[in-house]
Amino acid sequence: MIIDLRISTDYSGTDPAWRCTEVKIEAPNGSLAYFPCNKWFDINKDDGKTEHTLHKEEMNKENVDQSFQEGVLYKINVITSDKSYAGTDSKVYIKLFGFGEFNETEDIQLNKSKTNKNPFEKGCKDLFEVYTKDIGAIRKIR
């Protein structure tokens, strides 16, 4: 079960500031994990951080997370805020953690949005499809 998600940006590019509204992750079985954000990833705004830990919020009883299986495709939805200058050109990464000492993925760059040619722009909803190794039940995301 996914409990927390940590998402970060490398704060590079010509316009590195980014404001994320929310992240949703859909497992192949249709279960959803929802992580409200509403934070800036900017060294000059809010708390000055470019990495934030988000906490899962239940959507409804039908969307309780279950274990992910080996060779599955994760659908990761990221919504960038519609506030002024909320978009970013920085690289954004995600990492999945299972239970156990070696059950984790490498950092996965979210760079090929299925919904937008240029991801993480103001007001955009980006869908990323990620295939990764078997890490068992997901404990957290960074």
Side-chain angles (χ1 to χ4, degrees), residues 71 88 98 106 121:
T88 189
E106 299 294 322
E121 294 300 318

Side-chain angles (χ1 to χ4, degrees), residues 97-113:
F97 292 85
F99 292 91
E101 187 176 347
F102 300 106
N103 288 339
E104 62 186 55
T105 67
E106 299 294 322
D107 287 338
I108 301 165
Q109 184 178 353
L110 300 178
N111 60 351
K112 294 181 182 173
S113 173

Side-chain angles (χ1 to χ4, degrees), residues 48-65:
K49 295 181 180 178
T50 60
E51 178 177 291
H52 294 282
T53 298
L54 310 181
H55 305 289
K56 180 181 166 188
E57 182 175 296
E58 291 296 328
M59 296 180 75
N60 59 49
K61 285 196 282 189
E62 289 77 37
N63 293 329
V64 176
D65 296 310

